[in-house]
Amino acid sequence: MVPPPGIPDAVAEVNTGGSGEWFPAEQIRYYTNVFLVQDDKILLGYKKRGLGIHKYNGFGGKVEPNESTLDAAARELQEEAGITAPLEHVGVLLFVVPGDKWAHIDIFRAMEYSGTITESDEMRPEWFKTTNIPFDDMWDADRYWLPLLLSERHFSGRVDFEKQGDSFVLKKWWFGIHSSSKSQGASKST
Ligand SMILES: Nc1[nH]c(=O)nc2c1ncn2[C@H]1C[C@H](O)[C@@H](COP(=O)(O)OP(=O)(O)OP(=O)(O)O)O1
């Protein structure tokens, strides 16, 4: 199947589903999301307030005007988890809800960090085994792309959600990997 609107043509599909038409385009708002992965563990944050409250997620948020995406990702990681880290851009996730601006989320992976992991007003950090990620307590489509991040793929994806009361219902999704496949700096000689 061809990639949906908003996803580059060169991305090869790995997982898609749902039904109906893709929701129409709106304006775009830019966000970041950072996942720290070390050995067989991943650091997630339990969100204490705002959109996605009570879900586990990476650390991130809105890119401010006049701020680069990378600077925004580093700032949010510091604000929400108290640490700094070398960040590698590994993916883009388009989050689409009819009638709202599209969220373009740049996803980063870190393999090391400096500082002390610290709970913030927004997030309570918690380590999980990569074999035991709490997908049932995360945004519904994360189970389809987080394994791509863990296997060091570059990916792009789109998720269309419908708002029903206070909850978001996943209607359609598409994820693909870039032909360069493994992300930079990922070659390990084992
Ligand atoms: N892991 C994830 N999976 C997903 O499918 N959508 C996600 C996601 N993380 C964030 N989103 C969506 C939800 C929301 O529309 C948007 C931004 O959510 P965030 O929780 O990152 O930002 P915040 O609204 O908390 O921003 P700040 O107030 O700047 O921290 O991206």
Side-chain angles (χ1 to χ4, degrees), residues 101-135:
K101 289 184 182 174
W102 285 16
H104 169 120
I105 310 168
D106 281 292
I107 314 270
F108 296 85
R109 190 186 59 220
M111 311 283 259
E112 56 190 75
Y113 69 96
S114 306
T116 305
I117 294 169
T118 309
E119 181 169 349
S120 59
D121 289 349
E122 188 163 336
M123 286 289 209
R124 191 184 71 229
E126 193 174 331
W127 287 104
F128 289 89
K129 284 262 180 121
T130 51
T131 49
N132 196 27
I133 294 174
F135 288 120

Side-chain angles (χ1 to χ4, degrees), residues 7-157:
I7 301 291
D9 285 346
V11 177
E13 173 190 318
V14 292
N15 195 321
T16 185
S19 57
E21 299 296 317
W22 296 106
F23 296 136
E26 303 280 345
Q27 278 184 293
I28 295 181
R29 181 174 280 162
Y30 289 86
Y31 294 87
T32 62
N33 203 345
V34 176
F35 292 83
L36 173 61
V37 181
Q38 282 202 308
D39 303 319
D40 60 346
K41 289 180 303 167
I42 183 166
L43 186 72
L44 299 174
Y46 179 79
K47 194 154 186 199
K48 294 156 67 177
R49 65 175 191 209
L51 195 59
I53 188 170
H54 304 321
K55 292 186 201 294
Y56 286 99
N57 205 343
F59 301 92
K62 290 177 205 70
V63 179
E64 300 291 348
N66 305 320
E67 184 181 44
S68 73
T69 303
L70 185 61
D71 287 349
R75 175 182 52 72
E76 292 279 354
L77 182 64
Q78 171 72 57
E79 285 174 8
E80 294 185 355
I83 54 174
T84 57
L87 302 178
E88 184 190 355
H89 186 261
V90 293
V92 171
L93 179 64
L94 283 180
F95 176 95
V96 177
V97 176
D100 284 354
K101 289 184 182 174
W102 285 16
H104 169 120
I105 310 168
D106 281 292
I107 314 270
F108 296 85
R109 190 186 59 220
M111 311 283 259
E112 56 190 75
Y113 69 96
S114 306
T116 305
I117 294 169
T118 309
E119 181 169 349
S120 59
D121 289 349
E122 188 163 336
M123 286 289 209
R124 191 184 71 229
E126 193 174 331
W127 287 104
F128 289 89
K129 284 262 180 121
T130 51
T131 49
N132 196 27
I133 294 174
F135 288 120
D136 289 345
D137 297 320
M138 299 177 73
W139 284 97
D140 276 339
D142 291 7
R143 66 184 74 243
Y144 302 123
W145 60 266
L146 208 49
L148 300 175
L149 178 143
L150 293 173
S151 64
E152 303 183 1
R153 304 283 168 179
H154 268 134
F155 63 93
S156 290

